[in-house]
Amino acid sequence: MGIVTGSYVYYLNTTEETSSYIPELNETPDFMVIAELYGGCMRGDVCASYRIVDDGSYTYIAPQYDEDAERVTGKLSRTELAELKQLVASSDLSGILSSTFGGVCPITYDGVAMKYDITIGGENYGIDTCMDDIGDDPLFSLLEEYFYTFERVHSK
C-alpha cells in the first residue's frame, strides 16, 4: 500500500512539470493530441512529450539529460494524419475515461506511463494509462509508437 500511495503522491506532484515544456498555442485547435511520458524518466528532469494539431504539424520535446530539452518540429504525412484522426474517431474515449486501470502502474517500479490530452471539436479527454483502462485500443498503440518514431527521426 505504501508503494502505491508513494507513487500516487509522486504522480500528483509531477503532473504539471512535463506539460510546461510544450509551447503554448494562441488558440485551441479543433483537433489536438498532447502526449507525455512520466515516471522513471523524470529522474533526468524531463520526459519526452509531443503535441500534434489539426494540420498534422507536431512539436516533439526530446529529453536531454545534460542540458535543456530539445524542441523539434515536423509534420505527419496526410496518410498518417488521416489514420490518427480515424482512430481517434473510432475510439471510445468516454468509455475509457469511465474505466479504471486495474493493473500495476509501471511507475511503481521506475517505469514510465503516459498521459494523453485529446481535443476533438472543443471536447477534451484527459487519459492517463495508470488511471484509465486503455486496454488494447489501437489509438493508444499508435500514440505510444509516435514517441519512438519521433525519437528515431529527431535523434542527434
Side-chain angles (χ1 to χ4, degrees):
M1 184 64 170
I3 291 173
V4 172
T5 303
S7 296
Y8 185 68
V9 168
Y10 176 79
Y11 164 75
L12 287 177
N13 289 325
T14 60
T15 56
E16 296 302 315
E17 292 179 28
T18 55
S19 62
S20 65
Y21 292 107
I22 297 176
E24 293 293 318
L25 293 171
N26 292 333
E27 57 186 63
T28 303
D30 286 334
F31 176 83
M32 179 173 62
V33 175
I34 296 175
E36 303 172 291
L37 293 176
Y38 72 95
C41 58
M42 297 196 78
R43 287 186 179 191
D45 291 333
V46 64
C47 296
S49 61
Y50 64 82
R51 177 183 60 212
I52 302 170
V53 294
D54 343 62
D55 67 354
S57 60
Y58 64 84
T59 302
Y60 171 66
I61 308 304
Q64 304 291 318
Y65 296 105
D66 295 336
E67 54 196 71
D68 289 339
E70 178 186 7
R71 279 192 187 117
V72 291
T73 59
K75 194 160 186 170
L76 299 177
S77 70
R78 286 184 184 170
T79 304
E80 291 168 327
L81 182 59
E83 177 188 21
L84 175 59
K85 286 185 174 184
Q86 187 277 324
L87 287 174
V88 167
S90 65
S91 184
D92 181 11
L93 297 175
S94 295
I96 290 170
L97 278 175
S98 65
S99 69
T100 302
F101 175 69
V104 176
C105 180
I107 69 169
T108 304
Y109 300 103
D110 208 25
V112 294
M114 286 148 260
K115 289 192 279 182
Y116 300 101
D117 188 8
I118 301 170
T119 302
I120 311 162
E123 293 252 5
N124 186 271
Y125 302 89
I127 296 173
D128 184 319
T129 60
C130 282
M131 300 178 93
D132 306 301
D133 187 5
I134 62 170
D136 58 359
D137 190 307
L139 169 63
F140 295 96
S141 296
L142 177 66
L143 294 177
E144 182 177 347
E145 181 60 33
Y146 279 142
F147 280 112
Y148 307 111
T149 300
F150 295 155
E151 180 180 3
R152 253 188 333 267
V153 169
H154 298 290
S155 64
K156 290 182 178 181

